Each structure stands twice: as C-alpha cells, then as structure tokens.
Amino acid sequence: GGPADLVSHGRTGYVIDTSNYIELNNVIDRHVSREDRKQMRIAARDSVAPRTWDFINNELINHYQELIQASASKNNQITEVVA
C-alpha cells in the first residue's frame, strides 16, 4: 500500500483495488512475469527521490495556505451578500 498519487500504474507500481483478490492476483502474476522489474524499481525510486521532508512540508503548507485563502474569500463573499 501507499499513496496512489505517487504511483504511475505499470511504470512505478500498480494502483489496484486490494479488496478485489482477483485483480490483486492478476497483477501479482503479471508483475512476476515482467522482465523489467529492476527498471520498475529504479523508476519508482527515482520518482520519489526529490520528495524530501522539506519538499513535502512546503507542499503541505502551500495546500493549507490555499485552503485558508479560499475560505477567507468565501467568507468575504457571504459577508458582502448579507451586508
């Protein structure tokens, strides 16, 4: 398991419904038969290497700031309608 937004299906991993045992079994069978598993592992590692704690924290702070600004903007619109 892991965050699905970090996975490029078939390139860096697989995004599947793990509660669907048939799909899970099919993906495992497909993965075991792949000859490029090493390349997939390297691609997966390379795709998340830039995601340092500083990067992740800054991204989170930016998301919070966007939400705060959107909420403030919405509150201002409501105040203008009521006033």
Side-chain angles (χ1 to χ4, degrees), residues 4 7-8 12 24 43:
V7 178
S8 173
T12 61
L24 179 60

Side-chain angles (χ1 to χ4, degrees), residues 37-55:
R37 289 192 309 271
K38 182 177 181 180
Q39 286 81 4
M40 181 183 251
R41 183 179 73 236
I42 292 168
R45 175 68 181 111
D46 289 348
S47 73
V48 296
R51 295 183 61 83
T52 64
W53 281 115
D54 282 340
F55 176 87

